[in-house]
Amino acid sequence: MAEQPLVSIIIPTYNRAHLIGETLDSVLAQTYTNWECIVVDDGSTDATDELMAKYCAKDSRIRYYHRPDEHLPGGNGARNYGFKMSKGEYIQWFDSDDLMHVESLEIKVRNIIRSKVDVIISKTTTSINKLGTQYSNLRKEFDIVEKNDFYIDFIKSRNNILIGDPIIVRSKTIDVIFDEKLIRGQDHDYLIRLFSQSLKIGRIRNYLYYYRKSENSITRQAANLKFKFANTQILLNKKMLSKYSEIDEVAFEYHRKNRKLYRSYIEKNRPYFVFLHYNFFRKSFNLSIVEFSIYLFLNMIFKKGFDRMKYKI
């Protein structure tokens, strides 16, 4: 490739000494070589420091930092600091337990240059075997998203995009930072704000990103209804409804998600989430206080009757 702009790969990490080595090996194996990899530690208490010292000594393109106190604890603060320390023309967010296809950067950068897109995305997989294919004809696997409201489809979960997959032109990320107060849904929130800009988006229809499912992931903790994660999901939905209340199809989708959350909380014997956000859930069913209270009581006692609570027009 004649033109080789610098790609900044930014990785937040916390107690992943047992996994991040494999992640960095997938970066080192890239056929595209003009990259910098910035790892920002969020206060690990395992052997991350020792492991990172070895990788930094092995390759000067890898740099290691500790998140400073000016950024809040958590992956969001680590990512924002990593961005400050980066120099690349393109930004590749990545996670410390995931893997890249060996040609991922080469394929994406080549198509960014050819098609002059702002963001390029590929397909993601939780099956490591799907990363084994070598691609010979890149153009056939590439198209450009024509819709100007791509972010609406993303909000409605029509496009499954994970934060570690896209490569983004740096100028499009300067004003879009991670919300450091969020502990759940921060990637979704970031990508919504990114895609709501006027962007030319390229899409590669091959698997270039492997996402590792973790038993201790925030998603799983939220699914188990641990308080701070489940409560944050509700707060995020409130934020989205407030911001996009004028777009009927988006509002409808978030009310649908809220009704699904309501049922999950009741079925798993966590009604206090509903009581904490009583009016919020009531409005997602568009029911009066009396109607909603009756349904809530019956749902709690019998764990059924949800189908009768369809949105009241």
Side-chain angles (χ1 to χ4, degrees):
M1 188 186 303
E3 188 177 349
Q4 288 211 341
L6 180 65
V7 178
S8 294
I9 305 164
I10 301 172
I11 304 176
T13 191
Y14 175 74
N15 285 347
R16 290 282 177 80
H18 59 300
L19 292 173
I20 194 172
E22 191 177 358
T23 297
L24 294 175
D25 288 342
S26 80
V27 174
L28 288 167
Q30 290 299 300
T31 55
Y32 185 88
T33 59
N34 193 23
W35 51 262
E36 61 175 4
C37 183
I38 298 169
V39 179
V40 181
D41 185 81
D42 188 44
S44 295
T45 55
D46 62 1
T48 298
D49 282 354
E50 292 81 357
L51 181 74
M52 288 307 306
K54 293 178 182 178
Y55 273 91
C56 290
K58 182 188 298 185
D59 196 309
S60 62
R61 292 174 296 177
I62 298 174
R63 306 207 309 275
Y64 181 54
Y65 300 95
H66 290 87
R67 175 192 50 77
D69 291 340
E70 66 192 68
H71 291 277
L72 294 179
N76 298 338
R79 284 193 177 109
N80 287 338
Y81 181 67
F83 180 74
K84 285 183 181 178
M85 305 309 294
S86 69
K87 300 176 182 177
E89 296 176 52
Y90 301 137
I91 300 298
Q92 166 85 72
W93 305 111
F94 212 55
D95 284 336
S96 57
D97 57 348
D98 298 338
L99 304 176
M100 297 181 184
H101 184 281
V102 66
E103 296 175 279
S104 180
L105 295 184
E106 181 182 348
I107 293 169
K108 289 177 178 178
V109 172
R110 180 178 298 183
N111 280 292
I112 286 177
I113 294 171
R114 283 177 174 175
S115 303
K116 295 181 172 57
V117 295
D118 301 304
V119 180
I120 194 159
I121 57 179
S122 69
K123 295 174 72 174
T124 63
T125 180
T126 56
S127 171
I128 191 63
N129 294 329
K130 289 186 178 180
L131 286 189
T133 306
Q134 300 292 312
Y135 305 125
S136 57
N137 193 334
L138 309 182
R139 295 290 288 176
K140 286 185 178 179
E141 306 296 340
F142 178 79
D143 62 18
I144 293 176
V145 178
E146 300 293 344
K147 295 182 67 175
N148 293 324
D149 56 353
F150 180 83
Y151 79 102
I152 293 179
D153 282 346
F154 179 72
I155 291 173
K156 294 163 63 179
S157 302
R158 302 292 188 266
N159 302 307
N160 183 27
I161 302 169
L162 299 178
I163 194 66
D165 175 56
I167 286 186
I168 312 161
V169 173
R170 185 184 191 89
S171 61
K172 300 298 181 179
T173 66
I174 292 174
D175 295 324
V176 186
I177 62 173
F178 286 87
D179 185 341
E180 297 185 13
K181 295 181 180 179
L182 286 178
I183 60 171
R184 161 83 172 145
Q186 59 267 45
D187 297 355
H188 189 71
D189 173 69
Y190 176 91
L191 289 171
I192 287 172
R193 289 183 284 112
L194 175 72
F195 291 135
S196 65
Q197 301 178 85
S198 178
L199 299 175
K200 186 176 182 182
I201 302 170
R203 181 166 48 194
I204 298 167
R205 298 187 179 277
N206 289 113
Y207 295 101
L208 300 180
Y209 172 51
Y210 167 71
Y211 169 70
R212 191 191 305 270
K213 289 185 176 180
S214 170
E215 291 299 322
N216 295 319
S217 69
I218 288 176
T219 299
R220 287 183 180 269
Q221 293 185 66
N224 291 331
L225 300 186
K226 290 195 174 181
F227 182 84
K228 68 176 181 178
F229 299 105
N231 200 51
T232 300
Q233 180 65 63
I234 297 172
L235 295 176
L236 178 63
N237 286 7
K238 284 185 176 182
K239 176 181 177 180
M240 292 298 112
L241 273 170
S242 175
K243 186 169 184 178
Y244 298 102
S245 59
E246 303 297 319
I247 305 175
D248 290 342
E249 55 187 321
V250 173
F252 179 85
E253 178 64 18
Y254 270 97
H255 282 307
R256 185 193 68 79
K257 290 181 178 182
N258 295 336
R259 295 194 292 273
K260 187 176 178 181
L261 280 176
Y262 168 86
R263 180 168 183 166
S264 177
Y265 295 158
I266 298 299
E267 288 180 336
K268 293 187 178 182
N269 295 314
R270 302 290 196 277
Y272 46 83
F273 287 117
V274 177
F275 289 115
L276 275 175
H277 306 277
Y278 181 90
N279 281 322
F280 176 68
F281 282 110
R282 180 179 66 81
K283 289 177 182 177
S284 285
F285 287 99
N286 198 24
L287 294 172
S288 70
I289 293 176
V290 173
E291 289 173 315
F292 184 69
S293 297
I294 292 172
Y295 275 120
L296 175 57
F297 176 77
L298 293 174
N299 294 156
M300 288 170 58
I301 298 299
F302 300 106
K303 299 294 189 293
K304 60 183 181 180
F306 302 101
D307 294 340
R308 299 178 184 178
M309 296 179 69
K310 293 181 180 178
Y311 185 78
K312 181 180 175 183
I313 300 175

